[in-house]
Structures are given as structure tokens and as C-alpha cells.
Amino acid sequence: MFREEAQTLELLNQVGIAVAAELDLERVVQVVIDAATILCEADFGAFFYNEVAEKNETYTKYSVSGV
């Protein structure tokens, strides 16, 4: 039980460090979805989001993990 908690805390710490240091949104999303997939013990994970570009053009983007 303590080992699992320590592994969870280590993973969350790594995610926090990566998110604080990373400037690329796509990379941040990938780090978070990878960690969430591991923590949920899922076979795969996905995250969909919209990005607004110049001239209010909207793009749907996504990140997957475990595929």
C-alpha cells in the first residue's frame, strides 16, 4: 500500500515539474494524459480540446495515451 502511494506521489511530482517547466501546450497535455492513464490503470486515455487560432479559427485537437 505504501509503495503504491509513493509511486503515485512520485508520478504526480514528475507531472508537476514537467508542467511547470514546459511551454509547449501539446507536450503539457501529453504529459498529463499519460499520467492520468497510469493513475487510473486504464488501457488507454484520450483528451480532446479546442484551440482558437488567428481570425477565430477553431481547431479540435487531441492527445492519446496507451494506444
Side-chain angles (χ1 to χ4, degrees):
M1 180 175 195
F2 291 115
R3 181 178 290 160
E4 291 175 12
E5 288 179 10
Q7 289 173 337
T8 298
L9 290 174
E10 177 62 28
L11 180 59
L12 291 174
N13 186 45
Q14 291 172 0
V15 169
I17 291 169
V19 168
E22 187 61 59
L23 297 176
D24 180 27
L25 176 62
E26 290 180 22
R27 180 70 187 129
V28 169
V29 170
Q30 188 64 56
V31 167
V32 171
I33 194 67
D34 288 344
T37 302
I38 291 168
L39 291 174
C40 293
E41 298 178 2
D43 291 333
F44 65 92
F47 181 77
F48 294 83
Y49 60 102
N50 293 324
E51 187 174 290
V52 179
E54 294 179 25
K55 300 179 185 177
N56 288 331
E57 299 167 324
T58 303
Y59 298 95
T60 299
K61 293 191 168 189
Y62 63 92
S63 180
V64 294
S65 180
V67 177

